[in-house]
Amino acid sequence: SVRAAEEKLLSQNLNHEYLPTHGCPKLRQAAKILAFGSDSVVVTENLVASAQAISGTGALRIGGEFINKFHKSKSIYLPTPSWGNHTPIFRDSGLEVKSYAYYKKDTKSLDFENMLASISQIEEGATILLHACAHNPTGVDPTHEQWDQISQAIKERNLLVFIDMAYQGFASGDPETDAYAVRKFIADGHRVLLSQSFAKNMGVYGQRCGAVSIVADTAESAAALESQLKIIIRPNYSSPALNGARLVSTVLTDPELHEQWSKDVKGMADRIISMRHALKAGLEREGSIHNWDHLVNQIGMFCFTGMTPDQVARLTGEFSVYLTKDGRISIAGVSSKNVDYLANAMHVVTK
């Protein structure tokens, strides 16, 4: 779908002029619809202030600077653990970075009860960061029922919600399913900021295409908020990149390309899910006595294997398998050609 969009754009002999400070209008509208739904009241009533951003990282930084500039509380709470870049992004935006419980190491699953307890202790008015789907780095996501309870717990503390959605469509294979948390929080009346990245679900990493959105109470407020986003962006990088915006907006707005993209992203997600199952089966064939259910219960690109730093060092030193010291592997790097080798290596270092 992206290749087809490239060919379509090339045939139009387009220019290379600057985009507006807050980016491509076509992209911003398409991003809103993808995240919130075409029939969402926040879309139909123009309640979303948005700006194209330099992928998800740029969207998070713009959002962080906006919070620091306009929100009374300067505290932002991240799940433990979270994407490594979240802390420097928000710290360098002038916010005080704190944490809440999320992952349970011994079960390699969501520490749901402690998560709710942590949220109940956050001071009112603070900001909480949530991963919309395919939590990075653990691959552990709440169920829809758990999201409902999380929404209620956050509502009781009157927290500002910042949702990072870097993998829409890349988790379950269905962008609508992966947007559940975003749409639930909107339906429940939360104050929401949203970061979107198209790097993974479109495969346009180098194009640095993303978006930041803020949901307002009125269309007038949304327009005012959008003006403030432009004021933040202007001295930072003036205007965002053009080519990625054209590619992504073309895929999302052309009916045939959008249909093809839906198939593409499902194919990518299904392949990752199949590799999770293949790795688990391989470990069982090797005779591993450990429970590897978490390999298939987790979702998305990444998996917290539960391996120790010493085991990780052996994987690298003895088998030339490279992963982070906390045991996180990228399932996207596992294929039918190397999954059995990986299963054997993991078995050897963990037995």
Side-chain angles (χ1 to χ4, degrees):
S1 56
V2 174
R3 289 295 187 199
E6 283 185 316
E7 293 176 5
K8 183 175 182 178
L9 291 169
L10 187 62
S11 69
Q12 295 174 21
N13 195 29
L14 299 169
N15 63 38
H16 297 281
E17 294 297 329
Y18 284 124
L19 283 172
T21 299
H22 59 334
C24 171
K26 189 176 177 182
L27 171 74
R28 293 190 294 109
Q29 184 65 16
K32 293 175 193 177
I33 291 172
L34 186 65
F36 302 112
S38 59
D39 59 350
S40 171
V41 66
V42 301
V43 174
T44 60
E45 299 296 325
N46 298 315
L47 303 182
V48 182
S50 72
Q52 181 185 336
I54 304 176
S55 204
T57 301
L60 290 163
R61 181 58 184 261
I62 293 167
E65 293 193 16
F66 178 89
I67 293 169
N68 184 40
K69 191 173 182 181
F70 296 107
H71 195 49
K72 184 176 181 180
S73 172
K74 309 304 178 188
S75 296
I76 186 166
Y77 285 77
L78 311 181
T80 304
S82 196
W83 180 44
N85 210 20
H86 277 147
T87 293
I89 286 170
F90 292 119
R91 181 193 61 215
D92 292 353
S93 297
L95 302 179
E96 184 178 0
V97 178
K98 301 178 181 179
S99 63
Y100 62 91
Y102 188 84
Y103 179 72
K104 197 169 186 177
K105 286 186 177 181
D106 55 352
T107 60
K108 304 173 185 68
S109 62
L110 185 67
D111 193 0
F112 186 57
E113 296 304 320
N114 279 329
M115 180 183 183
L116 293 181
S118 288
I119 291 172
S120 71
Q121 298 301 311
I122 297 177
E123 68 272 19
E124 289 196 26
T127 302
I128 185 168
L129 181 94
L130 303 167
H131 297 230
C133 60
H135 180 274
N136 181 3
T138 69
V140 173
D141 285 355
T143 64
H144 288 184
E145 293 74 18
Q146 288 171 331
W147 274 124
D148 295 349
Q149 294 181 61
I150 292 166
S151 173
Q152 183 59 37
I154 290 173
K155 192 81 169 178
E156 291 172 359
R157 300 306 299 161
N158 190 33
L159 304 180
L160 178 62
V161 178
F162 199 157
I163 302 177
D164 184 1
M165 187 156 63
Y167 301 95
Q168 187 180 3
F170 214 78
S172 68
D174 179 13
E176 300 294 304
T177 298
D178 291 349
Y180 178 83
V182 172
R183 298 178 187 184
K184 175 62 178 175
F185 276 76
I186 294 298
D188 287 352
H190 289 273
R191 298 171 298 160
V192 172
L193 284 82
L194 176 69
S195 162
Q196 290 171 271
S197 168
F198 298 103
K200 294 86 177 172
N201 57 14
M202 293 266 181
V204 290
Y205 288 86
Q207 299 292 349
R208 311 309 294 144
C209 187
V212 59
S213 298
I214 305 172
V215 179
D217 294 329
T218 66
E220 292 76 17
S221 293
L225 292 173
E226 204 161 272
S227 177
Q228 294 303 321
L229 289 176
K230 289 189 281 186
I231 290 171
I232 291 171
I233 291 167
R234 175 61 178 160
N236 193 334
Y237 54 84
S238 189
S239 66
L242 174 61
N243 195 54
R246 282 175 170 167
L247 285 171
V248 173
S249 61
T250 299
V251 169
L252 291 179
T253 60
D254 182 291
E256 289 185 8
L257 292 181
H258 192 274
E259 183 180 359
Q260 181 60 52
W261 173 72
S262 297
K263 295 175 182 177
D264 292 344
V265 77
K266 188 176 190 313
M268 290 188 290
D270 286 351
R271 193 198 74 80
I272 287 175
I273 292 169
S274 72
M275 287 301 101
R276 288 180 175 276
H277 284 273
L279 181 57
K280 179 176 181 285
L283 283 158
E284 291 170 348
R285 283 196 304 272
E286 292 288 338
S288 177
I289 61 172
H290 300 293
N291 183 346
W292 295 100
D293 287 349
H294 57 283
L295 294 181
V296 297
N297 291 337
Q298 296 172 12
I299 197 168
M301 285 180 64
F302 301 110
C303 174
F304 252 24
T305 61
M307 289 186 289
T308 66
D310 288 343
Q311 292 167 341
V312 169
R314 285 191 63 194
L315 265 184
T316 301
E318 298 175 27
F319 296 94
S320 298
V321 174
Y322 298 90
L323 62 161
T324 55
K325 291 181 180 179
D326 56 11
R328 187 198 77 166
I329 60 174
S330 173
I331 299 294
V334 182
S335 71
S336 56
K337 294 181 179 180
N338 63 25
V339 66
D340 290 336
Y341 179 85
L342 177 60
N344 171 258
M346 289 174 63
H347 173 58
V348 170
V349 303
T350 58
K351 66 182 180 180

